[in-house]
Amino acid sequence: MSGEPTPSVTYPAYADGGLKRLLIDGHLVDSRSGATFECLNPATGETLAWICEGDAEDIDLAVRAARHAFDDGPWSKMKPYDRQIILSRFADLVDARHDEIACLDTLDMGMPLVRTMGNRRRAVGMLRFYAGLTTALLGDTIDNSIPGEYLTYSLKEPVGVVGAIIPWNNPHIAFIWKVGAALAAGCTVVLKPAEEASLSALLLGEMLLEAGLPAGVLNVVAGRGEVAGAALAAHADVDKIAFTGSTATGQEILRSSAGNLKRVTLELGGKSPNIVFADADLERAAEGAAMAAFGNSGQVCSAGTRLFVERPIFDEFVDRVAKVAEGLKVGNGLDRSTQLGPLVSSAQLERVTGYFEVARGEGAALRTGGVRLTDGEHSKGYFVAPTIFTEVEDEMRIASEEVFGPVVSAFSFDEGEDLVRRANATTFGLGGGVWTRDVSKAHRYARAIRAGTVWVNCYNLMDPAVPFGGYKMSGYGREGGVHQLDEFLNVKAVWLRTD
Ligand code: ADP
């Protein structure tokens, strides 16, 4: 029966309808105000849990705990090897309990189980990657030109207390991405998960304690963005904010961070171009273009939402993508055959269906989808059909604003026209795709697209060792790759007179 977990997946005990507490200074605690908020399954509307709602007071306690753990506690004095052991143990625990964590995310924000469970390799791989990096932090010895005998070298030191603010669209991966790297660098952390999907972050926090993380090194404070998140971004004892979310919130965070000039990295929105040339493997490209836009119901910052198709193949190719879209199974993510789950919330549903109206009003033609699904198993959740618009002009809102739903705008282009200008005519610069069999063309466009990642004949692949991040208003700083640790490190120069 749809909505029931498949037999091989154990329903996570954590989603037992009970009260989930905040993690502050090694203890599970109620919020100071006593406020709680309800956590709903977006596929069914059922209550999964109640969560203690932190505000500025709880954030302050958490920051104090993190500050103490950094300044006076064992963490910053621990040898890299010992930090590595804890991160490795945590990786083992995540590996052992990944089905449960994945199922929790599916229940909490709707992403199909096939996809959340498919994240095991990435989740565990990231933790092992960061664990490895703990013992590979290098400074430099530097030749200087000062007359006399002076040795100069650099030290890499953790920035201190990190405020990590994460979104709901891939919750356990977002947690690991930020917390794993910050801990590897020797920082302490206060994490604020998204109010739409806080469960896996709270569970992972408890698991880190089980792995041996000292009290106060990681604190998890659930709560509302404009309250708990804003308090964290503005807090004078936080040394750095690592944020993933919308561009508007990123700008807000940057303003709040000015008080103590804390360091900030921002991984924000996108409106990524996905370019299909007539010489591409069209079958592969159609499947790839569909999933680039519709995967995770389009709730992916790097989704390929502007599909540029070379004119001679435009009709045929859009037909192919529409066929893929119409064949996708939209439903409760617990069903293993589901390919697209619900949108995360009623607010998100309103936003996405609002864009259906915007696009129609602007004169775009609906090729497929464009509706909320309400029949049968869809009746209680926030489901929409994967949607393609054609006859879209570059200037329309549907072509320029981030929808964050399974919606793609298809444009045709002619050989020789200034495609690069059109592809880059966006305030964003997170991702891009190129589909062609011509290797020169592939390289040329990979260079020309102004974005942090370009995928050629594939889309949205991620790996712990490969950096990811934005150009332009998609933010700055890189996650993943050896580059990421530098985001959590200060560089200190040391001068030593040796004569
Ligand atoms: P989305 O629109 O995708 O939900 P947001 O940028 O609003 O993206 O949310 C991403 C994260 O930022 C969430 O954890 C949210 O609670 C938090 N957040 C929202 N508003 C603020 C704010 N003003 N200051 C700090 N964090 C915020």
Side-chain angles (χ1 to χ4, degrees):
M1 194 177 101
S2 84
E4 292 297 313
T6 44
S8 58
V9 180
T10 315
Y11 190 90
Y14 204 73
D16 59 0
L19 183 68
K20 306 299 156 196
R21 296 191 162 77
L22 311 178
L23 174 61
I24 299 180
D25 206 12
H27 300 287
L28 298 178
V29 296
D30 290 338
S31 58
R32 298 291 288 197
S33 69
T36 58
F37 64 101
E38 192 178 11
C39 168
L40 295 175
N41 179 340
T44 62
E46 286 159 357
T47 304
L48 296 170
W50 288 86
I51 298 176
C52 291
E53 183 176 335
D55 61 19
E57 210 182 336
D58 306 284
I59 288 287
D60 188 51
L61 288 173
V63 171
R64 279 187 215 198
R67 186 86 259 163
H68 177 69
F70 185 80
D71 292 342
D72 320 304
W75 191 241
S76 46
K77 297 178 189 69
M78 228 180 231
K79 296 292 179 197
Y81 174 83
D82 300 304
R83 292 207 304 273
Q84 185 178 59
I85 294 281
I86 291 170
L87 278 173
S88 302
R89 252 192 247 132
F90 182 49
D92 291 342
L93 289 175
V94 169
D95 200 10
R97 293 179 67 178
H98 191 266
D99 285 0
E100 183 188 345
I101 298 162
C103 192
L104 201 56
D105 277 352
T106 295
L107 289 166
D108 208 359
M109 52 67 68
M111 191 194 293
L113 206 52
V114 278
R115 202 174 160 113
T116 51
M117 288 178 73
N119 271 327
R120 173 194 300 275
R121 192 179 167 92
R122 179 148 171 243
V124 178
M126 279 196 285
L127 286 169
R128 298 209 192 292
F129 179 73
Y130 296 133
L133 288 181
T134 56
T135 55
L137 300 182
L138 305 176
D140 297 307
T141 53
I142 307 153
D143 261 351
N144 64 71
S145 305
I146 299 289
E149 297 299 317
Y150 296 93
L151 170 67
T152 37
Y153 61 93
S154 65
L155 295 172
K156 296 266 182 86
E157 299 182 334
V159 291
V161 175
V162 171
I165 302 177
I166 61 172
W168 44 262
N169 62 339
N170 199 354
H172 79 278
I173 292 292
F175 176 102
I176 290 171
W177 227 359
K178 298 232 181 323
V179 172
L183 296 183
C187 295
T188 60
V189 182
V190 176
L191 179 117
K192 212 295 286 170
E195 43 275 62
E196 294 86 347
S198 304
L199 291 181
S200 61
L202 291 161
L203 175 62
L204 288 165
E206 287 184 36
M207 288 168 62
L208 259 166
L209 289 184
E210 193 185 331
L213 195 75
V217 176
L218 170 74
N219 306 272
V220 183
V221 180
R224 288 194 292 137
E226 62 277 20
V227 179
L232 187 57
H235 203 292
D237 262 338
V238 172
D239 299 296
K240 183 207 156 96
I241 292 286
F243 171 73
T244 299
S246 62
T247 294
T249 304
Q251 290 173 310
E252 192 61 40
I253 284 174
L254 203 53
R255 281 189 283 269
S256 313
S257 69
N260 70 335
L261 289 177
K262 55 176 72 66
R263 281 173 60 178
V264 178
T265 45
L266 301 169
E267 202 267 88
L268 308 175
K271 193 76 183 177
S272 299
N274 197 11
I275 303 170
V276 182
F277 289 97
D279 66 2
D281 175 338
L282 295 189
E283 198 178 327
R284 199 183 257 194
E287 182 76 30
M291 291 321 286
F294 305 139
N296 199 17
S297 298
Q299 301 169 122
V300 176
C301 42
S302 51
T305 49
R306 290 185 300 139
L307 180 61
F308 291 92
V309 185
E310 201 162 5
R311 194 175 305 276
I313 59 158
F314 183 83
D315 290 337
E316 180 203 343
F317 190 76
V318 171
D319 282 348
R320 282 180 188 253
V321 179
K323 207 164 152 219
V324 177
E326 286 156 10
L328 290 171
K329 167 136 179 17
V330 182
N332 188 322
L334 289 183
D335 181 339
R336 295 264 196 161
S337 64
T338 293
Q339 289 162 294
L340 301 188
L343 299 173
V344 71
S345 63
S346 58
Q348 195 58 24
L349 177 71
E350 228 169 88
R351 178 187 164 93
V352 173
T353 52
Y355 272 105
F356 294 159
E357 297 315 312
V358 167
R360 285 193 185 99
E362 289 179 311
L366 181 66
R367 175 64 184 76
T368 187
V371 287
R372 177 180 183 182
L373 302 173
T374 51
D375 58 309
E377 69 162 312
H378 302 119
S379 64
K380 293 197 180 112
Y382 311 125
F383 296 95
V384 292
T387 300
I388 303 173
F389 285 107
T390 56
E391 292 170 40
V392 182
E393 302 294 331
D394 294 350
E395 298 71 29
M396 289 179 181
R397 284 182 61 198
I398 193 68
S400 53
E401 296 176 12
E402 186 176 43
V403 177
F404 228 59
V407 184
V408 66
S409 301
F411 311 83
S412 60
F413 69 89
D414 291 303
E415 196 186 341
E417 76 158 87
D418 192 0
L419 176 62
V420 170
R421 185 196 53 76
R422 290 180 70 193
N424 287 334
T426 164
T427 53
F428 297 111
L430 195 56
V434 181
W435 300 80
T436 177
R437 286 193 173 97
D438 178 337
V439 72
S440 308
K441 215 184 253 175
H443 280 294
R444 210 162 55 241
Y445 281 88
R447 260 193 191 276
I449 293 173
R450 290 199 62 211
T453 301
V454 177
W455 290 277
V456 179
N457 295 330
C458 57
Y459 205 92
N460 260 341
L461 301 182
M462 302 273 188
D463 184 88
V466 181
F468 180 79
Y471 283 22
K472 302 195 274 181
M473 287 182 78
S474 293
Y476 41 75
R478 289 293 174 270
E479 296 195 301
V482 290
H483 316 272
Q484 189 182 1
L485 252 62
D486 285 332
E487 312 285 359
F488 296 97
L489 295 166
N490 276 325
V491 181
K492 178 183 281 176
V494 180
W495 290 77
L496 182 71
R497 184 168 171 167
T498 56
D499 62 354

